[in-house]
Amino acid sequence: MHATQILPPDADGLHRAVALLRGDQLVAFPTETVYGLGGDARSDLAVARIYDAKGRPRFNPLIAHVSDMDMARRLAVFDDRAEALAARFWPGPLTLVLPQRPDAGLSPYVTAELPTVAIRLPAHPVARALIAAFGGPLAAPSANPSGGVSPTRADHVMAGLSGRIAAVIDGGPCAVGVESTILGLLARTELLRPGGVTVEEIEALTGPLVSGGDAARPTAPGQLASHYAPNAPVRLDAITVRADELRIGFGAGDCEVNLSPQGDLVEAAANLFHLLRSADALAQGRTIAIAPIPDTGLGRAINDRLRRAAAPR
Ligand code: TXA
Ligand code: MG
């Protein structure tokens, strides 16, 4: 593997990215949530390379990213519920798990041979332009080594995957900062992962969601207990800070690192992974102690990631 190229988010960069993807190479690209590690979702070779580059367990399926509804409907069966959710929240940070069409043409490695497929239509203009120019679905997990902190900037991607992937398109920092919300739309409407679209917004459309994704009995095999983990140990709901700790705050108060001095959950989500990485670099043997975060709106996605960051490894 040659050195990883850093491509600009313009026509020339997209053109070069598409040529690499057509050759079954991997290209990381910005989405509104986190950077994705993209490969041709129809190619066994490209998808195998994604698992390899990340060191990801093969039983953990990937999301197929599409650029429009026609591409989405070629991959999965959309019932009325799925159509209504797509109409309301796409393009945007929502992933729908649906029955896969028999003629979807996806590599079986994308779905880890499940009969279902996770589909997302991202809002980021570079992501959509890339998928449209490629002309087919891209499999794209977060562009980081498996189990580590997700990337929200091109330099985070380079820190974890430089030399392991062909290129990264540098589109600047991601606006949302936490991954998409995942809904299972099978017999019931299940919340498999809280994320960038809040549960409150979804329930306003669907009524109460069933919660799924129990780590002990995963419906989504990716709901592993330890994930998003920095190198330093993490302690949650830290009201006070001990001598051997670095505190990440939320809202007013003294601390080295603050997710949002104003106590704004949208700002905190956008800062989360970048500040976890900065705190990790500053920790020098200390534990990272994180202030309590309200468990509403985007706070649910933030707390889900923090619980996994703090879980026993
Ligand atoms: O925001 C996002 O969703 C980002 C960006 C790049 O789009 N992608 C992302 O992918 O977070 P990843 O691979 O890190 O997380 C995908 C999750 C995993 O937890 C996986 O288990 C679940 O989606 N998943 C994929 N296919 C599934 C399926 N058929 N049934 C249940 N869960 C599935
Ligand atoms: Mg991930």
Side-chain angles (χ1 to χ4, degrees):
M1 166 71 58
H2 296 287
T4 300
Q5 302 174 52
I6 300 176
L7 301 175
D10 58 13
D12 178 53
L14 291 181
H15 185 79
R16 288 157 67 186
V18 166
L20 291 166
L21 291 166
R22 296 224 163 105
D24 292 323
Q25 300 290 321
L26 306 185
V27 176
F29 61 95
T31 82
E32 70 277 23
T33 58
V34 301
Y35 274 72
L37 178 57
D40 184 347
R42 302 159 302 189
S43 158
D44 289 349
L45 176 57
V47 179
R49 283 179 168 157
I50 293 176
Y51 284 96
D52 249 31
K54 280 183 65 80
R56 180 177 175 112
R58 303 264 166 161
F59 59 79
N60 190 3
L62 304 172
I63 299 171
H65 292 66
V66 298
S67 53
D68 59 58
M69 274 310 287
D70 285 346
M71 200 186 283
R73 291 196 192 96
R74 284 198 288 274
L75 303 180
V77 181
F78 280 70
D79 62 11
D80 291 347
R81 207 176 24 157
E83 288 285 353
L85 283 160
R88 170 77 178 77
F89 296 110
W90 279 358
L94 177 68
T95 295
L96 301 177
V97 175
L98 299 167
Q100 190 182 174
R101 298 197 90 92
D103 57 351
L106 294 170
S107 164
Y109 300 158
V110 170
T111 57
E113 306 194 52
L114 293 168
T116 54
V117 59
I119 303 184
R120 163 157 138 75
L121 204 175
H124 197 294
V126 173
R128 286 184 76 190
L130 177 68
I131 301 161
F134 178 65
L138 291 181
S142 52
N144 58 285
S146 186
V149 181
S150 301
T152 53
R153 303 179 182 209
D155 57 290
H156 298 165
V157 176
M158 290 300 279
L161 297 176
S162 179
R164 304 183 63 83
I165 64 176
V168 54
I169 303 174
D170 186 352
C174 301
V176 176
V178 289
E179 290 86 345
S180 61
T181 303
I182 305 182
L183 288 184
L185 297 189
L186 303 171
R188 304 180 300 177
T189 306
E190 258 188 280
L191 178 68
L192 299 179
R193 178 177 75 184
V197 176
T198 65
V199 169
E200 292 88 337
E201 290 173 281
I202 294 167
E203 288 187 332
L205 185 75
T206 61
L209 296 173
V210 178
S211 58
D214 179 354
R217 203 175 39 79
T219 13
Q223 301 301 84
L224 306 171
S226 173
H227 213 83
Y228 311 103
N231 294 310
V234 174
R235 183 169 76 87
L236 302 183
D237 296 319
I239 314 265
T240 56
V241 57
R242 301 171 189 157
D244 61 341
E245 289 181 333
L246 181 158
R247 185 167 195 268
I248 298 187
F250 176 79
D254 237 6
C255 49
E256 274 169 84
V257 176
N258 199 318
L259 288 169
S260 169
Q262 277 80 48
D264 174 2
L265 290 168
V266 174
E267 184 185 23
N271 286 334
L272 178 67
F273 291 135
H274 181 61
L275 293 186
L276 266 182
R277 286 165 181 270
S278 313
D280 208 13
L282 291 169
Q284 316 238 354
R286 291 178 292 172
T287 291
I288 299 173
I290 305 180
I293 314 288
D295 206 37
T296 57
L298 284 177
R300 286 177 72 141
I302 295 171
N303 284 320
D304 170 79
R305 306 307 185 267
L306 290 177
R307 273 193 298 276
R308 294 177 206 281
R313 301 172 193 168

